[in-house]
Amino acid sequence: MSRPYIKKLSFTLLDSITDKDPMVQEQVCSALCSLGEAQPDETLRACEEYLRQHDKLAHPYRTKILRAMETILSSHIHDLDKDTASAVILLASSEMTRTKELDCDWQQAASSVLVAVGKRFTNQVMEEVLNRFQPGMLPHSSVLHTLANLSMSNAFDMVPFLPSILSTMLPMLGMAKQDALKVVFCCALQHFSESILEYLANLDQAPDPTVRKDTFGADIFGAYDFLFHHWLQSRDAKLRLAVVAALGPMSHLLPSERLEEQLPKLLPAVLGLYKKHAETFQISKSLGQILEAAVNVSSRTLEVQLEALLVALHSQICVPVESSSPLVMNSQKEVLRCFTVLACCSPDRLLAFLLPRLDTNNERLRVGTLQILRHIVNSAAAQMEIKKPFILSSMRLPLLDTNDKVKRAVVQVISAMAHHGYLEQPGGEVMVEYIVQQCALPAEEPQKPGPDGEDLAADSVRAVSIRTLYLVSTTVDRMNSVLWPYLLEFLTPVRFTGALTPLCRSLVHLALKRQEAGADDFLIQYNANANLPSPFALTTRLLVVSSNPYLGDGRGAASLRLLKVMHQNIHPLLGQRWETTMPVLLEYLDEHTEETLSLKEWEEKLLVFLRDTLIMVSDNVWICQLSQEMCKQLPSYSGTPQEKNFLYKCIGTTLGAASSKEVVRKHLRELLETARYQEETEKEGLACCFGICAITHLEDTLAQLEDFVRSDVFRKSTSIFSIFKDRSEHEVEKLKSSLILCYGHVAAQAPRELMLAKVESDILRSIFQCFNTKVLGIKVETKDPALKLCLVQSLCMVSQAMCSGAQASSFHFSRKAELVAQMMEFIRAEPQDYLRTPIRKKAMLACTYLVTLEPALEEQTQADVIHSCLHSVMALPPGPEGEDGVCQESLYLDTVCALEDLLTSLLRQNMTPQGLQIMVEHLSPWIKSPRGHERARALGLGACLLQFFLEHLQVSTLVPFHNLGLLVGLFAPRCADTWTTTRQEAVGCVYSLLYLQLGYEGFSRDHRDDVAERLLTLKDGLVHADPTILFHTCHSIAQVIAKRLPSDQLISLLLTMFESLGDPDKNCSRAATVMINCLLKERGNVLLEKVPEIVSVLRAKLRDTQEEHVLPAAQHSVYLLASQHCEAVVSSLLGSPLPFDSHTCALWRALAVEPSLTAQVLELLLEKMSKDVPFKESRAFLLGSTADRVATLLPLAATCALNEVLSAPSSGTVVLELYPQLFVALLLRVSCTVGVQLPRNLQAKERKSTSLAKAARNLDPCSSAVDALQALLLRSGSQDVLRCVELEGGWELLRTSAGHEDGVAQLASSMAKYAGPRLPLVMKALGCTQNSVYEIQRVTSTAFLAEVQAHGPQLMTAMVSGLDDGDEPHSLVALEAMVGLSRLLDLVEPWDLRLVLLHTTIRIRPFFDSEKVEFRTASIRLFGHLNKACPGECEDVFLEQVVGGLVPLLLHLRDPQVPVASACKFALCMCVPHLECAELAAAFYKYLQEGRSVHFGEFLNSTCKHLMHHFPDLLGRLVSTNLFYFKSSWDDVRAAAPMFTGFLVLHAEPEQRTQVDLEQLIVALQLLLKDPVPGVREKAAETLGRLVKFA
């Protein structure tokens, strides 16, 4: 059966190969390949037969079939039998030659089939192909293609055939008239020649090692002669290229004498093609092959042709390249290969041709020549060895060229020269210097990629030079002696600064090599190398350039590494020390980037390293020489201020280590005399130098400063400047400011004990002497802001120095008040509308240090300081800018930091809650400011103060933080401020306050509280302005507060929050509502006693506030309180005056939001309604008169409340759950309030409200009960009952004593008619009321039950019969019946259910495939409920229905309607227990969880696997059921059905095939292959491929 079956499957698939959708075509081919994997012979036979039978099939489809056959053959050629191979060969041969068109896909596909078969059945294929390759007749072009491809894919088997093929082919060449056919002949000759050359190159592996080149010589020459003389001159460009491509490999097979004879004609002819073709790759490749062949036979003709060859090839290299495509690049490589051949045979003539062309000024010619020169230096090293000096001297002019392309080419040539020993020749140093010069070029700006995607920066002259220098230094061993120590000469000249990084890297590598070779090789002989920098110059240079470490591609690390390896040449004692200190510096650089590195910290580390080095050396002579070299290099860094600044610091450090006072004084004097005071950076550097020097030479430093002020230099400066008055004032101020700054740094750096002794007598006196000028003996203060700033900065440093000493606590600073007043004067003088200078920042820092000194400031002075500083900073406009319009954001932030430091310094003087309160009071006006930026700043300061207080908290005894609640209430609502920064700072404040509370509770300072820590993660949520995210974050913040706030402060916090409900800032008001509700939710459980007060406050706020968001918030608050204190809230609300006002009604409706709470409320209200007597009897006037019944207040209020709760739509779910209790209670409430009156006080209110025409609820006891009953029916979906009773006047009858029983009967009748499923539980509940103490209630329940019982037997029958509504199969009756039955099942006795179970299941089955989504959903859900409710004794009967429903349920998982798919998940989970298969149940529960997306293919595959493993006998039934859905109207279901079938077949055992009607299945799949939906056709084709299993 196998072959006919495979044939049928294959033919079915092949019939669909003409599908219009490409994806379906691909699936058909894939299915064919699947068949071929299992049954290659039969599948190939089927394809072969199909193609023969359908010779009208269009070419594109034949091509696809042939491609599929090729795929099968490629994988299973060794499994193929001879007969099948023969049939396939005949078919492919026929397909290949059916059309005379050239180069079509169809022919190529057929040819590929032959080539695939030919890998094993070479003789059979050749026999067939040669039959179509007869002498005297032009063959089909595909025959030639096939022969050529066979020779390339299987040379060993094909070469023996080639002599006869060539002899047959030669006469045909003259018969070819079409250029396209001629091209095919050329290609065939090219491949034949390449195949022969491959064979001859691998004779040791060949089957016939006796084959020789001579065997083919005559035939190849004959073909060559014809191609050269007849076709090479063709007008067709493709033909010419094909000819020249063939001549290349053919030239190697020509007899030597023939080749020599042809070269004079061949070479010019090939060179002439360059002028005719833009694409020259094939020409160059062939020319290279011809030249190699000529060299191999030692041709003398090349000498004659050499000039023409060089000119032509040189022009090809120099021609402008439009793109960097692989074809163009390969063409260039082939031309260079030609030069290699010529260099090997004629090096002198080649150089004589090339080198003069280096002198040209033409860019293209020079670049091209350099490119050729580089290539022959690399590829013809032996021939160029004796030409090295000649070549080096020819580079003189190219080295001077400024063109980037020429430079790049020169660098590449020098790189090649380095590898081959050229730079060891005299003049090689010039080449090295050239490379270094190019490395020092300015770094390129990042550029966009070029048109072909190349990185222009990576290919720049500088980048190429850097790579070349490193490559030559590290990989070319012979260059070590050339580069070491020569490269050291380039380190110190400024013009080579840009090359420092590559130079250092190369020198490090060279130095390490020298160290490995031995100490003698490494030590530098400075006497023999006069141009080398001294150890002091080298140390200074490398240390200074390291101060900006990431500049110049990371020169800091490179310089330090070089310094480390050079330790032996710098000083013999440094090696061991630097081995430990230098790696730490390098590691620090690795850990940072240019963005993260602090230059100040880095410079300090370098200075520590220098200081450590000087200590290690401890040689005064060496140190003095180093300081002299540093001073000598100062002018070199005038163009780089930052590095010059650092060099000044290095000089100060070095002088500090010097023991010679004369040297120190001399250098300090020179520095003062030569410094450029106009440069700010240099002025700062000079001051740092003096400060560092003062650490060890304080007396000398102060003496030099004093001498300079008194010296002629200073006086001459001022007198010279006075010639030009404007300029003199400016220059003198610069000089004075520098001296003031020097004094400040000296005070900051000097030893504290020595400094304190001189601070008032010398330092401050000198500072103020420079600051103030005497005119006619009167002291005049300068107005220059720069000088003022220097004064403030120096005083700040002096103040800090005084505070930091060990004797600071005992030091009495007599001028403290004077300095503080001076600082305040400076601060107040600063403009309030912009931030221009850092004066106020520096002044506040000075005050920060001064306030800690003795004597203490007076209270009023301290308050003035706080007020002045706050006003100076807080009142600044947002985005402070200088007068020039440049943003001063950094200066502003520093100024704020200074203010924070000052305030915390003052707070430190009174670290108590009271002291904290005082500081917050100063901030309070700014926190409440209407201007957002002021609030943001105030919150930032508040956060800072709280954090400081927290960090320095010292609690000796456990005391309460009594104002925590008030402070939290102040800051928390600001978490929703309109300014992002304010919001985040507010969170920080709350965070600190919570930790303060923990501190006062006794927790240690390092204690981390998980709850409070969550606040830090919530800051991100406050970045967003999206209200949803913002208020959600506020809610989370309130949760944290709720968990950590002491219970005794909760109510005060809530009351504070309630006050915030009226906040004019809507965001803060809303945040207050959110936080209140969160606090109530989290901590409401402790507020039981406060519930009446809170409810009362809420009702009052609702009356007083008109904002829309307050009412929903209040409703939610009541809901939250009720969730924890339901009875208390219900009692509080029931105590509200009747009739309820609109706000109270809204609060009642809020209790219906959440089902569980709604259930509690309803149950409580039912209890309240029945707890008290419904009425009291009272007699008016005479004792004998009829007693009046007056309603009691509590049941009346509960009835009204019930009405409000039931009127809320959200109560619907709970109403359905409590329906029987509610219905019975309200019905009985109606009965016992008939004729009952309102109390007199409420009657007056009722009349008043009626007269005012307010829309209040009816307070009449019976009417209110009827209203509540109607609300119940409406909310439960029983509108029909409501309407029916209304139409019959039943509601009015219920309200009257005479008609009450009739009204009850009408209600019961309507319920039986329209709400049958609800009656069983209602009847059960009513039965329990037969013993009521009120006769009217017993009468009402009896009347209702009697009426229902009259309709009772028909309820279940009506539901089932509703499924059989014959008039309309999809009527609403059937739908309601299915929905109703789903609800009734839990109430039905098992015996009653058994009677209708099978009938119901069978009846609802057609609805599974209903066109209406509601019917599909309801029927499938009912099926699931029936499975769930099925009695144990019915399981065997019901299992059949489960099996029958399995396929539709699985397929409808792909239903286009989500409710249907969801119902299927439910039903399947209910069905699976009946199958008693644990693996299948596990799969269902894994994939079919509600809310989880189902990967249908994966799930279906798993399901089929388990079904076929446990229920193999169901295969036939499942497949036949699937066949029904092949005609489904839903595309996805129709596609799922064949997929289901395919998976069943995939997992079924072959012996189960008897269950399946394969004929019917294949026919059905054939029909699906014509489906209008491509996805369906794909699945059908896929399934057909799987049916091979049943072969």
Side-chain angles (χ1 to χ4, degrees), residues 160 471 499 549 1007 1046 1090 1103 1128 1155 1181 1443 1570:
L471 186 69
H1007 170 71
K1090 302 293 182 179
R1103 285 195 303 268
F1181 306 115
V1443 172
K1570 299 175 183 178

Side-chain angles (χ1 to χ4, degrees), residues 935-1223:
R935 294 197 305 275
R937 292 168 184 171
L939 263 295
L941 286 172
C944 175
L945 291 171
L946 288 170
Q947 182 64 29
F948 177 83
F949 194 88
L950 174 63
E951 291 173 356
H952 298 82
L953 181 65
Q954 298 290 340
V955 180
S956 56
T957 58
L958 298 183
V959 294
F961 187 20
H962 58 82
N963 51 359
L964 173 67
L966 296 177
L967 289 174
V968 171
L970 174 65
F971 288 112
R974 295 296 149 193
C975 293
D977 195 276
T978 50
W979 279 56
T980 304
T981 51
T982 305
R983 297 196 292 266
Q984 294 190 311
E985 293 293 1
V987 176
C989 293
V990 174
Y991 175 82
S992 298
L993 286 168
L994 293 184
Y995 268 106
L996 281 173
Q997 172 61 30
L998 291 171
Y1000 279 107
E1001 289 176 2
F1003 286 93
S1004 64
R1005 187 178 302 168
D1006 59 352
H1007 170 71
R1008 294 294 93 188
D1009 183 75
D1010 292 340
V1011 176
E1013 288 300 310
R1014 186 162 172 252
L1015 287 175
L1016 299 181
T1017 65
L1018 294 174
K1019 277 192 176 183
D1020 294 339
L1022 296 177
V1023 174
H1024 306 279
D1026 181 354
T1028 304
I1029 299 175
L1030 186 62
F1031 292 122
H1032 176 75
T1033 307
C1034 288
H1035 179 271
S1036 301
I1037 292 169
Q1039 285 181 315
V1040 174
I1041 295 171
K1043 290 180 181 178
R1044 285 294 171 262
L1045 196 75
S1047 299
D1048 59 346
Q1049 299 195 48
L1050 179 60
I1051 190 64
S1052 63
L1053 176 59
L1054 281 173
L1055 294 177
T1056 306
M1057 290 288 189
F1058 282 135
E1059 291 303 316
S1060 297
L1061 292 177
D1063 196 303
D1065 184 335
K1066 298 296 186 294
N1067 264 19
C1068 293
S1069 174
R1070 289 178 184 274
T1073 64
V1074 170
M1075 292 182 167
I1076 287 170
N1077 286 330
C1078 179
L1079 290 167
L1080 289 174
K1081 180 180 179 181
E1082 300 293 332
R1083 299 291 298 278
N1085 59 324
V1086 301
L1087 295 171
L1088 177 60
E1089 295 179 359
K1090 302 293 182 179
V1091 168
E1093 180 182 357
I1094 293 174
V1095 171
S1096 176
V1097 170
L1098 282 173
R1099 292 180 61 245
K1101 282 293 177 184
L1102 287 175
R1103 285 195 303 268
D1104 300 339
T1105 306
Q1106 302 300 319
E1107 296 297 335
E1108 294 181 359
H1109 65 273
V1110 175
L1111 175 59
Q1115 287 181 298
H1116 193 58
S1117 299
V1118 168
Y1119 157 73
L1120 292 171
L1121 272 177
S1123 299
Q1124 298 161 89
H1125 308 293
C1126 186
E1127 186 171 358
V1129 171
V1130 169
S1131 297
S1132 297
L1133 286 174
L1134 285 174
S1136 303
L1138 287 174
F1140 296 143
D1141 59 25
S1142 59
H1143 296 126
T1144 307
C1145 292
L1147 296 180
W1148 276 118
R1149 289 193 294 274
L1151 302 182
V1153 172
E1154 197 270 325
S1156 61
L1157 174 62
T1158 308
Q1160 291 182 59
V1161 171
L1162 290 174
E1163 288 170 354
L1164 276 171
L1165 289 175
L1166 290 177
E1167 180 186 349
K1168 300 286 185 185
M1169 193 170 66
S1170 59
K1171 184 177 182 181
D1172 199 359
V1173 294
F1175 53 83
K1176 292 182 178 179
E1177 294 186 351
S1178 64
R1179 299 180 182 272
F1181 306 115
L1182 298 176
L1183 292 177
S1185 63
T1186 305
D1188 292 330
R1189 292 182 176 181
V1190 178
T1192 50
L1193 284 180
L1194 182 61
L1196 178 60
T1199 306
C1200 294
L1202 269 174
N1203 195 3
E1204 296 301 332
V1205 175
L1206 293 173
S1207 66
S1210 54
S1211 65
T1213 306
V1214 178
V1215 166
L1216 293 178
E1217 294 175 0
L1218 299 178
Y1219 186 87
Q1221 300 95 302
L1222 289 167
F1223 184 86

Side-chain angles (χ1 to χ4, degrees), residues 272-291:
L273 293 176
Y274 277 124
K275 300 178 181 178
K276 299 179 180 180
H277 292 270
E279 295 287 348
T280 59
F281 166 71
Q282 204 58 62
I283 301 170
S284 301
K285 180 180 178 182
S286 185
L287 180 58
Q289 293 171 327
I290 293 169
L291 291 176

